[in-house]
Each structure stands twice: as C-alpha cells, then as structure tokens.
C-alpha cells in the first residue's frame, strides 16, 4: 500500500514501538511533541490526525506529571498511561515517552481479526489472501472450513504462493451443507493435508486445537505471526449452531490461536451493524469492515482495546 497523504489512517503508520525523551526546556509542549513524533513515524500529514490529544487526556496534568517535585531536583518517578487514536501512550516522570499502536502490537504478538461487510464473498476471499501474509516457507497455515469445501481454502493458499506442504485444512460437514461439501470432494482430486470432521461442533473444535498443538510441538513453538489461521465462514456457523455454543466455540478457538502467537482471521459476510456481527465482535481484537463505494473497494478498522475506528481507506 503506497503512503499517499489522505489515504492511510494515522494508526497504520506507527508499526513499531516509538520511544523518545521529552526535554521540557527545549521542546514544545509535551502534547505537541508527542503528536509530532507520531506524525513523523506514521508518515502522514498533520491533517490526518483524527482528533486532538486533549480529547483523550488532560494535557496540563500530563505536563505537570514530569515537573520536578518541590523538594527534589529530579523528576517524579510516576507515569501516566492512556490511549489515543488507536495507540497506547505512556509518559514517565523522567520524560521518557513510549508510543505503541494496537495494530502494531497485534502484528508482533498475534491475535484475531474479524473480516466483515455487505460485500460479495469473493472480496472477502481477496482480503483473506492478503491476511495470510507474504509468500514464506517459514509460516504454517491452518484453514478451518465450516460448511465450506477444502477447494476454497486451497485456492486462497495457492494465491499466497507458499509451499503446499505448509498448509493444513480442516473441514466440518454439518446440517444442510454436508451434501454440497461432500459433492465438492467427489468432483475434485484428493487434496493434500485435508482432514474432515463429521460429528459435533465440539469435535471440530478439538480437531482445530489438536492441529495447532501438533504444529507447535513440531516447530518448538511459533514466533509471532508464523502461524496463520483462517476460518470460513462464521455466517454458516452462526446460522447452524445455537448462539451460546457458537460463541463458546469462537472464544475457545481464538484463544488457542492467540496462545500460539498466531494471527487468525475469520470471514463473516454480513453488515457491520447486523445482529450476527454485534454478537461476536467483542471476541476479536480488530474488526475489518469492507464496503464497495464510488471510490472502489474500501476498508476501515475497528480496534477493540483502544476503542478506536479509523476512516475509510482503499485496500
């Protein structure tokens, strides 16, 4: 994605933790200094900052927090932490400042992303390929297909270009979708690294967990992002299963992915403000909402922990 002014949200540029020392005698106000450092790191224009810093924190109290105590020539040891426009910011009493974006932390530690929007499913597939990351022989890929054939997962992995032996597909045949899934196997050559669960939702959950644990042991653990997990589709899951059972399933699987330092994404082709999305979005770290507008295909990010939503920007 090219960094053109006005096209990339403020949060998408500060990927690595940003640290600097505030000099009260030489720098501008602390609030202005923080914003200047963030703008430079993100590579955006000042007009791209979505809100003033004082909307998130009392800037006067922030400045006062690093002033020397009356009876001591050294600054206080206390620190103030707050969130601003999708970032975590900590200001220590000695003037050290640390800025970290929620999106950047997700990339470094692993987590789970919900992909949704009232768009054709092939558009979700396109974004799914992007979320699998760049072509790599070091990554492992697990595709969990609920009511979907292995063919769709194979297609997305082949577009990624990573070695086929690194991909593992677990399908679940349930309800009205069993026949269509079974037919797809009859029409296609036997795929590699595909296992199918015909049984209960709990058995499907166990199969996913066991596959993740198996790969973790084989690799002696994963560095963040080395395991990529894809689930297709949550809409069928939520239509077929009881709400409580589906919620418990999603919560368990997302926890297992996060514990493995994996980066998972889950496809839910439905409107962001629909009841189905509202029911599950608190489980996820980030929601990517898609739309097709006069400007083409666009996305915006809803960040759970920092409670921030970006502007719309092109994919």
């Amino acid at each position: 994605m090219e960094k053109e002014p006005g096209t990339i949200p403020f949060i998408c540029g500060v990927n690595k933790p940003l640290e600097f020392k505030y000099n009260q005698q030489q720098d501008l106000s602390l609030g202005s200094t923080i914003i200047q450092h963030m703008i430079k790191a993100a590579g955006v224009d000042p007009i791209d900052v979505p809100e003033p810093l004082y909307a998130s924190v009392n800037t006067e109290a922030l400045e006062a927090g690093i002033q020397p105590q009356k009876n001591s020539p050294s600054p206080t040891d206390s620190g103030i932490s707050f969130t601003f426009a999708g970032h975590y910011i900590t200001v220590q009493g000695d003037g050290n400042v640390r800025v970290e974006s929620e999106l950047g932390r997700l990339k470094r530690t692993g987590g789970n992303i919900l992909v949704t929007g009232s768009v054709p499913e092939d558009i979700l597939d396109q974004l799914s390929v992007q979320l699998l990351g760049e072509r790599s022989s070091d990554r492992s890929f697990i595709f969990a297909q609920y009511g979907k054939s292995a063919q769709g997962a194979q297609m997305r992995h082949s577009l990624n270009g990573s070695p086929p032996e690194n991909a593992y597909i677990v399908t679940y045949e349930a309800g009205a979708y069993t026949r269509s899934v079974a037919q797809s196997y009859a029409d296609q050559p036997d795929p590699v690294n595909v296992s199918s669960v015909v049984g209960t939702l709990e058995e499907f959950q166990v199969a996913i967990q066991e596959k993740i644990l198996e790969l973790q042991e084989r690799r002696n653990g994963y560095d963040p992002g080395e395991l990529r997990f894809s689930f297709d589709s949550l809409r069928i899951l939520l239509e077929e299963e009881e709400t409580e059972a589906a919620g418990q399933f999603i919560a368990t699987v997302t926890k297992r992915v996060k514990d493995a330092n994996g980066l998972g994404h889950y496809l839910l082709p439905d409107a962001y403000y629909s009841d189905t999305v509202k029911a599950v979005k608190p489980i996820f770290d980030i929601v990517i909402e898609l739309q097709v507008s006069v400007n083409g295909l666009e996305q915006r990010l809803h960040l759970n922990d920092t409670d921030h939503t970006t502007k719309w920007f092109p994919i």
Side-chain angles (χ1 to χ4, degrees):
M1 192 185 305
E2 295 182 359
K3 289 192 174 184
E4 298 179 1
T7 63
I8 298 180
F10 182 53
I11 181 172
C12 295
V14 187
N15 286 321
K16 297 180 180 179
L18 171 65
E19 296 182 347
F20 61 91
K21 178 87 170 185
Y22 174 63
N23 188 321
Q24 205 166 28
Q25 304 302 318
Q26 299 177 6
D27 295 333
L28 299 174
S29 69
L30 177 56
S32 297
T33 302
I34 291 173
I35 295 297
Q36 285 185 344
H37 277 272
M38 294 176 73
I39 287 173
K40 182 178 180 180
V44 299
D45 286 342
I47 60 173
D48 293 324
V49 180
E51 60 188 33
L53 186 66
Y54 61 73
S56 297
V57 66
N58 184 326
T59 53
E60 292 183 358
L62 191 65
E63 190 91 27
I66 61 171
Q67 290 181 354
Q69 295 178 342
K70 292 181 179 179
N71 298 323
S72 174
S74 61
T76 63
D77 294 328
S78 61
I80 299 176
S81 296
F82 59 98
T83 61
F84 168 68
H87 295 80
Y88 307 99
I89 301 177
T90 298
V91 179
Q92 297 291 345
D94 60 3
N96 284 314
V97 180
R98 178 182 173 88
V99 180
E100 181 182 18
S101 78
E102 184 176 356
L103 182 61
R105 179 179 292 183
L106 178 77
K107 293 177 180 178
R108 287 187 298 278
T109 63
N112 296 279
I113 301 170
L114 177 64
V115 183
T116 190
S118 298
V119 296
E121 290 195 29
D122 63 328
I123 290 179
L124 272 73
D125 289 339
Q126 292 176 32
L127 186 57
S128 175
V129 173
Q130 291 187 27
L131 291 172
L132 293 176
E134 298 178 356
R135 177 178 178 176
S136 173
S137 59
D138 295 328
R139 290 197 180 110
S140 298
F141 303 86
I142 299 178
F143 297 85
Q145 301 284 99
Y146 184 103
K148 293 291 195 76
S149 72
Q151 182 183 4
Q154 287 177 310
M155 179 273 295
R156 284 182 277 136
H157 182 260
S158 66
L159 290 174
N160 173 266
S162 295
E165 61 269 21
N166 290 5
Y168 304 85
I169 303 172
V170 184
T171 67
Y172 181 65
E173 304 174 11
Y177 297 93
T178 303
R179 181 176 298 177
S180 63
V181 173
Q183 184 61 41
S184 72
Y185 279 113
D187 295 339
Q188 299 293 328
D190 289 339
V192 179
N193 292 326
V194 176
S195 58
S196 180
V197 176
V198 181
T200 66
L201 184 62
E202 183 178 358
E203 289 173 316
F204 184 41
Q205 173 188 305
V206 169
I208 294 171
Q209 291 177 291
E210 289 181 346
K211 177 58 67 177
I212 294 174
L213 288 171
E214 173 193 333
L215 296 181
Q216 274 187 288
E217 292 177 358
R218 189 183 304 176
R219 293 284 297 269
N220 293 318
Y222 282 106
D223 290 333
E226 283 188 340
L227 172 65
R228 298 297 172 105
F229 178 81
S230 174
F231 190 97
D232 186 18
S233 107
L234 285 184
R235 182 166 69 182
I236 300 175
L237 169 69
L238 294 168
E239 288 174 349
E240 286 283 306
E241 305 291 342
E242 296 290 337
T243 302
E244 183 176 352
Q248 181 61 43
F249 170 87
I250 297 168
T252 301
V253 171
T254 52
K255 184 179 185 303
R256 180 66 265 174
V257 171
K258 196 164 188 175
D259 288 346
N261 295 322
L263 188 61
H265 67 273
Y266 306 71
L267 306 182
L268 177 50
D270 210 343
Y272 176 75
Y273 294 104
S274 66
D275 290 339
T276 51
V277 174
K278 288 179 180 178
V280 299
K281 68 179 183 180
I283 299 174
F284 296 91
D285 299 292
I286 291 177
V287 179
I288 299 179
E289 180 186 3
L290 304 177
Q291 73 170 9
V292 179
S293 72
V294 294
N295 298 317
L297 183 57
E298 296 180 310
Q299 62 182 325
R300 66 176 175 179
L301 311 181
H302 303 268
L303 310 176
N304 192 352
D305 195 33
T306 56
D307 192 24
H308 177 70
T309 297
T310 71
K311 66 180 181 180
W312 288 102
F313 63 103
I315 293 180

